[in-house]
Amino acid sequence: MEFPQQQKPTGDGKIVYPPGVKEITDKISNDEVVKRLKMVVKTYMDMDQDSEEEKQQYLGLALHLASEFFLRNPNKDVRLLVACCLADIFRIYAPEAPYTSHDKLKDIFLFITRQLKGLEDTKSPQFNRYFYLLENLAWVKSYNICFELEDCNEIFIQLFKTLFSVINNSHNQKVQMHMMDLMSSIIMEGDGVTQELLDTILINLIPAHKNLNKQAYDLAKTLLKRTVQTIETCIANFFNQVLVMGKSSVSDLSEHVFDLIQELFAIDPMLLTSVMPQLEFKLKSNDGEERLAVVRLLAKLFGAKDSELASQNRPLWQCFLGRFNDIHVPVRLECVKFASHCLMNHPDLARDLTEYLKVRSHDPEEAIRHDVIVTIINAGKKDLNLVNDQLLGFVRERTLDKRWRVRKEAMMGLAQLFKKYCLHHEAGKESALKISWIKDKLLHIYYQNSIDDKLLVEKIFAQYMVPHNLDTEEKMKCLYYLYACLDSNAVKALNEMWKCQNMLRSLVKELLDLHKLPVSEANNTAMFGKLMSIAKNLPDAGKAQDFMKKFNQVLGEDEKLRLQLETLISPTCSCKQAELCVREITRKLTFPKQPTNPFLEMVKFLLERIAPVHIDSEAISALVNLLNKSIEGTADDDEEGVTPDTAIRSGLELLKVLSFTHPTAFHSAETYESLLQCLKMEDDKVAEAAIQIFRNTGQKIETELQQIRSTLIPVLHQKAKRGTPHQAKQAVHCIHAIFNNKEVQLAQIFEPLSRSLNADVPEQLITPLVSLGHISMLAPDQFASPMKSIVANFIVKDLLMNDRSVGNKNGKLWTTDEEVSPEVLAKVQATKLLVRWLLGMKNNQSKSANSTLRLLSAMLVSEGDLTEQKKISKSDMSRLRLAAGGAIMKLAQEPCYHDIITPEQFQLCGLVINDECYQVRQIFAQKLHLALVKLMLPLEYLAVFSLCAKDPVKERRAHARQCLLKNISVRREYIKQNPLAQEKLVSLLPEYVVPYMIHLLAHDPDFTKPQDYEQLKDIKECLWFMLEVLMTKNENNSHAFLRKMVENIKQTKDAQCPDDTKANEKLYVVCDVALFVIANKSTACHLECPKDPVLPTKFFTMQDKDFKNDKDYLPADMRQMLLTGKPKTAPVLATVNKPLTVPGRRIFKTTTASDTASNASTNSPLSSATNNKNSNAATESSESRAQENNENPVINNEDGKKEEAAQNMTPDATTEATPAKRRGRPPRSTAAASPAAEKEGGAPAGGGGGRGRKRAADANSNPLAESISIKMSKQQQKNDDGTKRQIDLQR
């Protein structure tokens, strides 16, 4: 606007004052000036814009009031009154101000602005005048006149600073509104906002200023909201200068840009419309710290509760998500922390975040993996619906993280979710069902080797799954239904947990017992051994040993402490008593002056493990009451998600497990009455569990509970005679365990059963055979003699040597238990009876063990068809082979029988692990592992696992390797913990398995050509399968020891056939392959070995000093081929349902007439094969259990029982499948068999010579041996060139 010409005052230039107002000059006092100005103010207040006459009349006064006298007057009241007059003058003369000088206008507005500072004190007597001044300026928009001034910005900056500085919480809404109107008009009606003016607004948003003056922040916030359309461009320009162009000098606020962006976004995202793309540019900066700052900012923007930035600016959101993969660790960490708020505030973005969190859950940085878990768990604890199954799956994976901190966080997080949603049902059944897997997963972790994991699982179980601080009934209800809902592996883990705690209690009890003995060297040694065993069950074994020694010292000095500990581990200790004992022991060991006491922490770990916080007599009674309610149908089974039958069965199983660990807690008439009711139930499993509980807990029944005794005895007799096989076994053991007159009781069962044996009714034979077998094992002195005639006349002659029924000729190798014929089940139990009878006798004076071993060997040689009448089905033959292999292995656990097992019988037994049937291999390997890991089987049986290298199924090979690792670690640990074990190193040291392995492989039926590359490659694979595990560490120069051992074997002969040149050559070839493998895998094997290995004389002859074998049986070209590899041209062995191969080899077989007959879908030979790791991995990943038994894949139904899937039969499946070369049993003939001969029962040509062939009977055979003979088919007799095929069980 144009300023008008200076208006002339009326008359001769004399100033006209309102009526009653005298002249105002510097000659009068301030009080008089104030008095006269008040009247002037009143006059101007009453004037309006239409008063033209008055406007002209008082023009001179208006000009006079703008003089220096007034503008620079030292009196505050004068300045205020003048400011009010000037504000009214601008109102009255608007739109044309009476002042034409730019400098004068600037002075006037700066003067008025200074007066506005008086608004600060609302309690001032003059506050109303200050408010009037503000109101007048805002209403008239007087400051808009300044737009025409060149330096108007100075005025506006001063005004904004003044207003932001004076506003406070004592101002009412009107004051704030007028300030807002005044400032917004300047912004909205001007040509733009300069950077300096923008700074005066934005500085109030910086956190430091924001906290100093909240009202200034609110004023700035409101101002920006009102002027968003105008000011947005200025804001964008500011951020563009700083962020993109890097001109930090444009403003003092440059260093606060990210704080400002956050605040501006919170005020109105529209303010940053043009700024957000600039942040995308900054996210890609080369400076890691800069990216971190931008990520922190955007995390707050995207994560804000009502933010729609992610949906409105997808490119920026995608760019931000890319920072989850940033190379800078702090950036990734910040992204992960952001995810928690984002999941809580924006569930719709969970899908976008999931994939990135998945990658970060595998981040190499421990802190990031840890924070991923925290992020997901925090969101889940707020609302389970915020986290999808994938996110929970990431936490599940991290429970197996390599770092303890991460594993702990994952486990504790899942435990908290379980307690919140499954135990307390805070979000209903649907949420509980969503995470029902947590309970199983947490317990599965108990399988881990780390003691820290085990201790944490125990803690989680006691605090989150079954909280120990609940009252007994509620606590047992939790346990009862939890146990019913667990999967089988979780149940085993929970049982193992109780077992470990019970074992630790036993160790502590033994330690306390040692304290009662007089001090001696032997006592100290024994005490040290107990302390070491206890320390192994605590975290940080090194520190635990030291702390346990200290604890033991305190126990020796403090008798009261010992008494407290004795009470704690007493079988009669209640849960409440246990809490008091733990508290008292902890109090005694607490030292107030020590803020941290690691010794006390370690003792607490021990006390937590041994204290009975869940189970006591009261708890068992509560469990039994719950069981009774389930039986009566009055329990809450359905509400808890289990059927009554499941609840009853699992409840009995739970009580059975607790009967092992807390037997004294069961001793009450009410408990036993309930168990007797369970014995009468139709559910076989329930009755079996009830009997076992009686067996474990009923030692005092005979003396203290006569009524229970009188009711129990007939029930046990009935179960032993007509119950299921498992019930019969438990009934016999129960009678033997709890009754004093057990001889009479067992005789009353034995006699009627032995008289009623009838092979023509096999269905009724199984239970009697089980009972008779266990009776003869438990009371051998009483029943050994009568059992001998039963074995000779009935078991062998009548049952095992006769096939009364014809099996199902469907070609399957395995069927479910329900489909096995009763006759075969009876034969399996008969085989077990023979073993139990021998185990009871524990001597071989009558040579019965020799006869039995030959019988079992014959069963393996004949592939399970002992009579060779071909009546028995293939699946039943598999059952009998498994029974025979298991029986030999069971007998080998008894030293007197192990000594008489011949190498041939050992080899036959071992080859079962390469049986053609997957289930036979699987079950046999499991039995073998369990016996070895308990150190019950001799070391030579560990060599059998080397044959697993030939298994075509990857999971079987992996299982075998895990078994080897476990067994070797157990043996090494046993040697370390037991000083006396040094005397038995030959039978304990894992390295001593190598001679047995070499001998076993030298007699492998598939190893027929010592110089054949494919066969040698198989031998190498088997050797390396074992040696790889043995040679993981070179402890005590073990590599050189292995080399020397193999070299020593080359200087001996095969004791099994010392004069057989070919057999010895095969032995030496295997030795050379072993030396080749050892030398290629270790550089330390060539060192000197001071120890001279001892070789087993049962397998190798004594070294002859005159015999020196320095021949190299492995040519250089063969060594090269074994080292570099060669395509395989033939399968390792052909089986009925799948060709077996060594690990990593492509499965195929050449097409022959016999092959075509057995499997029409066989692949054609491959023209070439590579031997690289990729092809191996591809081959192994394609192998599966279903492929292995492709004729009869077995699957699990909902009840956990195996059942047949739809068969994928070959064209000839309706007829008997063509016999192929069978792994695990030697060939029936050394002559080459034609396809026609194979169809008639012959075997393909192969190695093994005559090993395992049936031999003629001796003239002096005993009655048991005379009762056994096998008739041969004519075709088989022809194949044997007239050799008699009669088994001598005495030889």
Side-chain angles (χ1 to χ4, degrees), residues 971-986:
R971 288 174 180 273
R972 293 200 198 284
E973 189 63 30
Y974 181 82
I975 293 170
K976 285 180 186 176
Q977 298 293 331
N978 297 273
L980 297 176
Q982 297 295 328
E983 301 170 8
K984 303 177 182 178
L985 278 182
V986 175

Side-chain angles (χ1 to χ4, degrees), residues 187-188 193 198 201-202 205 217-240 243 257 259-279 301 309 312-313:
I187 294 172
M188 296 171 70
V193 179
L198 184 62
I201 302 171
L202 297 182
L205 306 181
Y217 167 79
D218 291 337
L219 182 62
K221 176 179 171 182
T222 310
L223 177 62
L224 289 166
K225 275 189 175 181
R226 181 179 289 189
T227 62
V228 61
Q229 298 293 338
T230 306
I231 207 167
E232 187 269 333
T233 308
C234 309
I235 291 173
N237 181 61
F238 163 57
F239 286 115
N240 183 60
L243 294 176
V257 283
D259 290 331
L260 289 172
I261 290 174
Q262 181 185 346
E263 291 294 343
L264 291 170
F265 184 81
I267 293 168
D268 190 339
M270 292 294 292
L271 290 167
L272 299 173
T273 303
S274 304
V275 178
M276 287 306 172
Q278 299 168 8
L279 292 178
L301 303 189
L309 182 59
Q312 292 172 352
N313 198 329

Side-chain angles (χ1 to χ4, degrees), residues 96 368 413 439 442 502 560 614 644 746 755 775 866 906 1012 1267:
E96 297 176 354
I368 293 176
K439 60 185 183 301
L442 290 173
N502 195 49
K560 289 185 178 178
H614 285 114
L746 293 176
R755 290 195 301 269
I775 289 172
L866 197 56
F906 163 66
D1012 180 75
S1267 68

Side-chain angles (χ1 to χ4, degrees), residues 784-850:
S785 297
M787 274 301 297
K788 185 172 183 178
S789 61
I790 292 173
V791 167
N793 298 323
F794 178 77
I795 299 298
V796 177
K797 185 177 179 180
D798 249 15
L799 187 56
L800 292 177
M801 298 304 299
N802 276 308
D803 290 336
R804 289 174 167 77
S805 60
V806 178
N808 189 347
K809 300 293 183 179
N810 58 11
K812 294 180 181 179
L813 288 177
W814 190 264
T815 54
T816 60
D817 293 347
E818 291 77 9
E819 292 179 277
V820 181
S821 68
E823 183 179 4
V824 170
L825 289 176
K827 287 184 177 183
V828 170
Q829 289 302 332
T831 306
K832 292 182 178 180
L833 181 146
L834 288 173
V835 174
R836 290 169 184 147
W837 169 53
L838 292 173
L839 291 176
M841 289 194 299
K842 293 185 180 178
N843 68 72
N844 192 33
Q845 294 173 359
S846 63
K847 303 295 181 184
S848 298
N850 298 79

Side-chain angles (χ1 to χ4, degrees), residues 92 144 237 247 644:
I92 295 165
N144 289 11
N237 181 61
K247 295 181 179 179

